[in-house]
Amino acid sequence: MKAIDLSGDWTLRSVEGALTAPIFLPGDIITALYDADLIPDPYVGQNEYDLRWICEADWIVSREIDLSDPNVDLVISELDTVATVQVNGTVVLQGTNAFRTYRVPLNGVAQAGRNTIAITFHSPVAAGKALSDAHPFPVPWSKNCPIPYGNFLRKPACDFGWDWNIALATSGIYGALRLEPSIAARIDRLVVSQDHSDGARVTVGVLTTNHDGPVIIALGGQTVTADGHSGFCEVTFLVDDADLWWPAGLGDQHLYDLTVTAGTATATRRIGLREMELVAEPDAAGLGFKIRVNGHDVFCKGANWIPADALPGRITDAKTRDLLQSAVDANMNMLRVWGGGRYEPDSFYDACDELGLLVWQDFMFACNLYPSDPTYLAEVRAEVNDNVARMHHHACLALWCGDNELVGALTWYDVSINDRDRYLVNYDRLNRCIEGALRETDPHANWWPSSPSTGPLSFGDAWHDDSSGDMHFWSVWHEGRDFDHYRDVAPRFCSEFGFQSYPSMDVIRRFADPADFNIAAPVMESHQKNDGGNARIAETMFRYFRFPIDFENFVYVSQVQQALAIKTAVTQWRGLKPHCMGTLIWQLNDTWPVCSWASLDYGGGWKLLHHLSQRFYALVTIVVMPDGEDWVLQAVNDLRDAVDVDVIAYACAMDGTSRELGQGTVRVAESAVAALRVPMAELQPQEMLSFGWTASDGSRGGDVFAPKPYKSYDLLPPQLQYETIRESDDIVLRITAQAMAFYVTAETSVPGRFDDNAIHIGPGHTATLRFIPVDPKATPTFTLRDLHSATYTV
C-alpha cells in the first residue's frame, strides 16, 4: 500500500449547519467561503470588518476515503490551529499548534472500506480567551492586534491583525495531509552537518522506523551503504575539490544532491557546501554583528519577509518564488523571516538556496507577552524540534533568532512595567526553552537570542543603542524625525527600519472606487493599519516636497518619499562598512493591498523603493555622506576582490547645466573608503551634487544628490517626450527631457514590469526603460510622472 494524498476537495460547513461550501485543502476557510460566493472579497473596500464573525465561529471540514488496509497513520502539518480531528466519529487528535507536524496512528479506528474524516476548527478567539482566563496572571497581547488572545495560541501572530495586516484570524490546513501505511519503512529524519576545518566534510545521520537493514546514502557522486539495523546510522563524506555555495553576488549557488534509501523509503535533499558563521565579537565600539560565509565577511543587504498573503489559501509556490526573485533582482542577499508570521514551507528555503538568499530565521514569537507554563513550553519545544529538523540542512540558513521585539514588549504594557521581575523571568523561561530545543536538534546552529538585541542576556534598549548587536531603528517613522536622523546612528547591523508609502495605483484600483481616492476616505483609512500613518506620510511630504496636485500624484510622491528615506539610511550605513555589516529594510512584501513599508506591492509589483534598492544595493557603488563641511563620496565594494573606482562630481543646476567639482580614484576592498571630498560651500542654492563612477570590475553608475528638500528647488518643466520601440515581446521607451527631470517614472495600463524606474534625466540625454508585459500581445498605454509635473500646477 502506498501513501494516500488527502489534498483536494473536502466539504466545509459551519457547526450549526447554516453555511456549506466546498473547500480545497491545503487551504483556508475564508478563501473557501469567498470562492463559493458566500462572502465578498475581504480585501475590497471595508469588507474586512463585516467578516470577523468567521473567526468567532466553529467550522468543520470533512471527506470520505476508501481504504483496503486500515493500518495507516494520518500525517498532517500546519493544522491551524485549535482543531479536533475525528476518524469514523472517534477523536484521534486535538491539535493546538499551527507550526507542528503530527503523525497519528489510526489502527483500531480506521476500517477497511469507507471511512469518514472530520476536522473541527474551533474559534481561535474563544480558544485563546479560555487559556487567557485560566492563566494565573495577565499576559497582554500585542497592541497591533484588533482580534484578541492570539498570544496564547501557537498560530501566526499577524493573523490577529498587525499595523500592516488585515485582521481575519482564519483557520485551515496548509501543509502535509496524507495517510501512510503504519508498517512501511520510514525515514524519520536526516541529520546533516558540515565541517570545513580541513576540506569539506558532510556528515549525514539517518533515523528510520520499520526498517531493519542497510541504508544507502549518496552524495556528490559518492555512495555508501551503512548498517541501519539499530534504527540509526551515520556516514561522513569527504568532498574533494568542493564547489562551495555562496550568497547572491559573491559566487555560484552550487547544490549537491543527497539521496537516502532505506528499504522502500527514500528521502532527498539538496545540500550547499558552505561554512556559515555568526560573528559577534567585542570591539572598541561595543559588540559587532556580521555573517561570515566561507571565511568572507558578508555585508547583508535585504529586507524583512512577512507571509506572502494574509489568506494562506491564496499563497502559491510560483507567487512566492516571484517575490524572492524580485529580492535577488534588487541586489538583495538576505531576507529575515519575521517572527510574527509562519515558518515557511520547504519550497521557500529551496528557492533561497537556489537564488543565494541568506535567511535570518526568527522563531515565531513577536511583539506580544507570552505564557511560559509547562504546557505551553512543551508545545514550543515540539515546534522548535519539528522545524529545525526540517530546515537545518539548507545552505541559505544563516541564523536562528529567538523572537522579534519581546524584550522591548516588556516596556509596552502596564503589568510588565509595574512588575518587571515577574515578566522578565517569564520571558527568560520561554527564550531558554527555545534555545535549548534548538541546540538539542541542531547543535551547530547559529543562535541570536532576540531582535533587536545588544547581545546574550542583555535586556536593554536596542532601538536606540547602536553600539552592539542588531538594531531596530524606528525613530524616523514612529517619532517623525527627519530623514537625516538616519545619519545620527551607526548600527552594527540594522535588522529593521522603514518608511511607509501608498500602494501603486493599479493596486489601489483593485480595492477602491474613484470616489474613494482621498487619503481621508474611509476605504483608504481602512487600508492603513498604522495609527496616524496617513497623516505622517502627508506631514512628511510637506517637509520635503511641494504638495502633489491630485490623489494619483500623491500616491506617486509618497513612493518617491519612501524611496528617499530608505536610500538615505542604506547609503549612510553602507558607507560605514565594516563597522556596520547589514541593513534589512522593513519590509519586502505585503500580505494584502495596504499602505505599508513594503518595497513590493501586494501581487509582486515593484514600488519605486524597490527600483532604487536595485541601485543602492549594487555590489559596487558610490554613496554620499556628510563629514563636517564636506560631502564625502564614499566608495563601497561588496565583492570578494578589491576594485579600483574612478569618480567625477559636478554641480548641477535645474536647467541641466553643470560644472565639474572634482575627480577621484581609489582602491576599495573590505572597508568603504573616501573617493572624493566636495566642500558643501561649492554648491549654489539652486544646485545639486551629481556624480558618475566606473569600476575596474566593469560596473558603472551615477546619481544626483539633493542636499536640501526638493521643495527648496525651483524645478523647471522638463517637457518629457518619449517614443516606444517593440523589441520582440518587450517595449522600450526612449525618454528625453528639456530640463532636469527627477524620479521620472513610467506607468502602464497593462500588467508587467519595468527594468528600471524613478530615474533622473537631464537635457541632451536619452534614457531607456524596458517594459516586459505579462501578455506579450498586449498594447499598453504609458503615463510618465516626474516631480515637477506631480507638484506644480503649471
Side-chain angles (χ1 to χ4, degrees):
M1 177 182 171
K2 297 181 179 179
I4 299 173
D5 187 0
L6 296 177
S7 64
D9 293 327
W10 291 55
T11 298
L12 168 69
R13 64 180 175 87
S14 55
V15 166
E16 80 285 353
L19 290 176
T20 301
I23 181 172
F24 187 91
L25 295 179
D28 71 272
I29 290 169
I30 291 177
T31 297
L33 293 174
Y34 171 71
D35 289 344
D37 293 325
L38 294 176
I39 61 170
D41 189 334
Y43 296 174
V44 171
Q46 302 179 78
N47 291 338
E48 167 193 3
Y49 306 112
D50 294 330
L51 298 176
R52 288 187 183 163
W53 61 269
I54 297 170
C55 70
E56 297 173 355
D58 292 354
W59 298 85
I60 299 173
V61 298
S62 61
R63 65 163 292 174
E64 294 182 331
I65 183 75
D66 289 325
L67 296 174
S68 58
D69 183 349
N71 296 309
V72 293
D73 294 351
L74 173 64
V75 179
I76 186 168
S77 66
E78 294 186 78
L79 176 64
D80 182 12
T81 290
V82 183
T84 301
V85 182
Q86 297 182 69
V87 175
N88 298 328
T90 299
V91 175
V92 298
L93 173 65
Q94 295 280 11
T96 58
N97 192 327
F99 306 127
R100 288 187 59 186
T101 297
Y102 297 100
R103 174 178 290 275
V104 184
L106 300 184
N107 299 342
V109 178
Q111 59 194 20
R114 182 60 53 94
N115 293 262
T116 299
I117 304 175
I119 303 172
T120 301
F121 292 98
H122 304 284
S123 164
V125 182
K129 184 179 188 305
L131 291 168
S132 177
D133 290 347
H135 200 267
F137 57 89
V139 182
W141 60 88
S142 174
K143 298 176 181 178
N144 283 322
C145 303
I147 299 176
Y149 308 116
N151 54 331
F152 276 87
L153 302 178
R154 296 309 302 139
K155 174 178 174 61
C158 65
D159 282 0
F160 298 87
W162 216 259
D163 54 5
W164 39 259
N165 199 30
I166 193 169
L168 294 171
T170 192
S171 297
I173 300 171
Y174 320 129
L177 185 57
R178 62 181 181 268
L179 296 173
E180 293 183 356
S182 299
I183 61 173
R186 187 169 75 238
I187 297 172
D188 290 317
R189 187 183 168 200
L190 299 183
V191 185
V192 181
S193 62
Q194 301 184 29
D195 180 359
H196 293 265
S197 59
D198 182 18
R201 298 179 184 272
V202 180
T203 299
V204 180
V206 183
L207 285 162
T208 62
T209 297
N210 299 329
H211 177 68
D212 186 17
V215 174
I216 303 171
I217 307 171
L219 174 70
Q222 303 180 57
T223 301
V224 175
T225 300
D227 182 0
H229 288 83
S230 66
F232 176 79
C233 62
E234 187 174 84
V235 170
T236 297
F237 295 89
L238 174 60
V239 183
D240 294 324
D241 300 320
D243 292 315
L244 297 181
W245 181 94
W246 288 94
L250 295 179
D252 294 335
Q253 291 77 52
H254 189 88
L255 298 171
Y256 289 82
D257 291 326
L258 170 66
T259 303
V260 178
T261 303
T264 58
T266 300
T268 60
R269 303 285 189 272
R270 302 190 74 201
I271 308 296
L273 301 184
R274 86 291 184 266
E275 184 177 27
M276 187 77 67
E277 301 172 80
L278 170 59
V279 182
E281 298 173 339
D283 57 21
L287 184 72
F289 189 106
K290 60 187 174 184
I291 300 298
R292 181 175 293 160
V293 182
N294 303 327
H296 178 79
D297 292 343
V298 178
F299 192 100
C300 295
K301 302 172 293 189
N304 285 261
W305 172 271
I306 59 176
D309 203 293
L311 294 175
R314 297 186 178 187
I315 298 174
T316 68
D317 287 349
K319 291 178 183 177
T320 298
R321 178 74 182 226
D322 182 66
L323 296 173
L324 298 176
Q325 184 65 58
S326 286
V328 174
D329 291 346
N331 290 310
M332 296 182 182
N333 62 14
M334 175 178 267
L335 294 178
R336 172 180 175 236
V337 179
W338 170 75
R342 63 198 287 241
Y343 304 97
E344 292 295 330
D346 294 337
S347 57
F348 175 93
Y349 303 98
D350 288 341
C352 290
D353 286 344
E354 295 163 6
L355 294 170
L357 280 170
L358 296 165
V359 172
W360 167 318
Q361 178 69 52
D362 279 3
F363 287 101
M364 292 299 118
F365 304 87
C367 298
N368 287 282
L369 302 185
Y370 289 92
S372 65
D373 57 87
T375 300
Y376 188 85
L377 293 185
E379 281 296 330
V380 169
R381 203 170 287 112
E383 165 191 326
V384 172
N385 293 155
D386 279 359
N387 287 284
V388 174
R390 174 174 67 89
M391 295 158 49
H392 78 288
H393 70 280
H394 283 284
C396 64
L397 193 57
L399 67 99
W400 290 91
C401 179
D403 61 70
N404 175 78
E405 298 187 352
L406 264 58
V407 174
L410 294 170
T411 67
W412 298 344
Y413 306 97
D414 289 342
V415 291
S416 53
I417 293 170
N418 296 327
D419 193 358
R420 182 172 172 83
D421 288 352
R422 169 186 287 205
Y423 288 90
L424 181 57
V425 170
N426 179 70
Y427 166 74
D428 189 56
R429 286 176 177 173
L430 173 62
N431 193 253
R432 287 176 182 268
C433 173
I434 297 167
E435 181 183 6
L438 169 66
R439 301 288 189 201
E440 174 186 289
T441 313
D442 182 11
H444 307 285
N446 293 323
W447 160 258
W448 190 246
S450 181
S451 183
S453 174
T454 53
L457 295 178
S458 176
F459 304 105
D461 180 4
W463 279 265
H464 298 93
D465 183 349
D466 60 356
S467 68
S468 300
D470 78 304
M471 186 180 196
H472 292 187
F473 191 66
W474 282 105
S475 296
V476 171
W477 173 258
H478 286 302
E479 298 173 19
R481 304 291 294 270
D482 290 338
F483 296 166
D484 278 341
H485 187 46
Y486 286 122
R487 304 187 188 278
D488 295 335
V489 295
R492 314 310 304 272
F493 192 114
C494 197
S495 49
E496 275 193 27
F497 61 102
F499 201 91
Q500 276 201 0
S501 73
Y502 272 67
S504 302
M505 281 305 305
D506 62 316
V507 176
I508 290 174
R509 291 187 181 100
R510 294 179 215 157
F511 70 80
D513 294 326
D516 302 312
F517 289 179
N518 186 299
I519 67 170
V523 166
M524 297 308 301
E525 289 187 333
S526 73
H527 287 253
Q528 166 62 270
K529 298 302 186 181
N530 184 238
D531 289 344
N534 287 349
R536 193 168 295 116
I537 292 171
E539 187 275 330
T540 306
M541 207 174 284
F542 275 116
R543 280 189 266 157
Y544 285 94
F545 303 95
R546 303 187 189 191
F547 209 72
I549 60 176
D550 58 21
F551 178 77
E552 292 193 15
N553 281 295
F554 179 91
V555 169
Y556 157 75
V557 175
S558 81
Q559 292 197 13
V560 172
Q561 176 171 270
Q562 176 192 34
L564 178 61
I566 301 308
K567 178 184 176 183
T568 302
V570 169
T571 54
Q572 175 71 20
W573 297 338
R574 287 193 73 189
L576 299 177
K577 182 186 178 184
H579 174 88
C580 176
M581 286 300 291
T583 60
L584 303 181
I585 300 165
W586 185 271
Q587 66 218 57
L588 179 72
N589 56 308
D590 271 331
T591 59
W592 74 306
V594 66
C595 300
S596 83
W597 300 269
S599 66
L600 295 175
D601 274 319
Y602 177 69
W606 287 32
K607 290 184 179 180
L608 301 190
L609 169 57
H610 208 75
H611 284 289
L612 263 68
S613 298
Q614 190 175 43
R615 302 200 286 270
F616 63 60
Y617 270 154
L619 286 163
V620 179
T621 192
I622 293 286
V623 301
V624 179
M625 304 169 65
D627 183 25
E629 299 300 316
D630 293 341
W631 293 111
V632 178
L633 278 67
Q634 192 91 331
V636 181
N637 172 28
D638 288 338
L639 296 168
R640 287 155 55 192
D641 297 319
V643 294
D644 298 314
V645 178
D646 299 314
V647 62
I648 183 168
Y650 303 88
C652 176
M654 296 304 96
D655 62 359
T657 58
S658 63
R659 54 189 177 85
E660 185 177 325
L661 297 175
Q663 300 183 33
T665 298
V666 68
R667 187 168 183 80
V668 55
E670 296 88 356
S671 300
V673 294
L676 181 65
R677 302 181 76 92
V678 175
M680 295 179 181
E682 286 288 321
L683 293 177
Q684 299 299 315
Q686 287 295 309
E687 290 180 328
M688 297 180 186
L689 175 63
S690 70
F691 57 91
W693 57 269
T694 59
S696 57
D697 71 323
S699 60
R700 63 179 58 242
D703 203 358
V704 180
F705 173 77
K708 301 181 298 184
Y710 280 93
K711 71 177 185 180
S712 303
Y713 297 93
D714 296 326
L715 304 184
L716 300 175
Q719 302 179 44
L720 294 174
Q721 299 287 328
Y722 74 92
E723 62 176 358
T724 60
I725 302 171
R726 175 76 71 163
E727 292 186 359
S728 186
D729 293 336
D730 300 350
I731 301 171
V732 176
L733 279 71
R734 294 171 52 85
I735 309 171
T736 59
Q738 301 304 310
M740 288 302 301
F742 298 102
Y743 298 101
V744 176
T745 297
E747 299 174 359
T748 179
S749 59
V750 302
R753 183 170 297 167
F754 288 94
D755 68 333
D756 201 358
N757 235 333
I759 59 176
H760 306 317
I761 306 176
H765 299 277
T766 299
T768 60
L769 298 178
R770 179 176 296 272
F771 178 66
I772 304 94
V774 172
D775 178 4
K777 298 179 181 179
T779 305
T781 58
F782 296 96
T783 300
L784 295 183
R785 300 189 191 276
D786 68 279
L787 276 188
H788 182 275
S789 65
T791 58
Y792 287 69
T793 55
V794 292

